[in-house]
Amino acid sequence: MGDREAQKECTKQGIVLPCPFCGGEAELKQLSGRWAVCCKTHCVGTKIYGNKNKALTAWNTRQAPPRDEADHEVN
């Protein structure tokens, strides 16, 4: 299964993927009847959606940062 297929399968199963920037845990949050997915360390999140599945889909199928940028050490 390729990365895209794995992302879609996780979304179908309701699995929230880790943060693409810090690798930390993320959570699906309900905000006054609307939904968003946020990194628990608050480094990034989705916009707010009126539908839980749309928020999860946006998070799980987002483009990951380029590998060299993700591995770059910040001084």
Side-chain angles (χ1 to χ4, degrees):
M1 184 181 309
D3 289 341
R4 259 311 166 207
E5 292 84 16
Q7 289 172 324
K8 287 179 183 177
E9 186 59 33
C10 287
T11 301
K12 278 201 300 189
Q13 293 181 25
I15 297 168
V16 180
L17 296 175
C19 177
F21 297 101
C22 73
E25 190 175 347
E27 62 185 332
L28 184 62
K29 289 184 155 188
Q30 185 174 18
L31 310 161
S32 300
R34 301 182 74 176
W35 296 88
V37 177
C38 304
C39 173
K40 286 189 174 185
T41 64
H42 309 290
C43 68
V44 71
T46 66
K47 69 180 193 175
I48 298 172
Y49 292 88
N51 176 300
K52 177 177 164 177
N53 191 52
K54 284 184 180 181
L56 187 58
T57 298
W59 179 264
N60 281 354
T61 59
R62 81 274 185 209
Q63 184 72 25
R67 187 74 181 161
D68 61 331
E69 286 182 30
D71 290 339
H72 186 306
E73 187 175 316
V74 177
N75 291 326

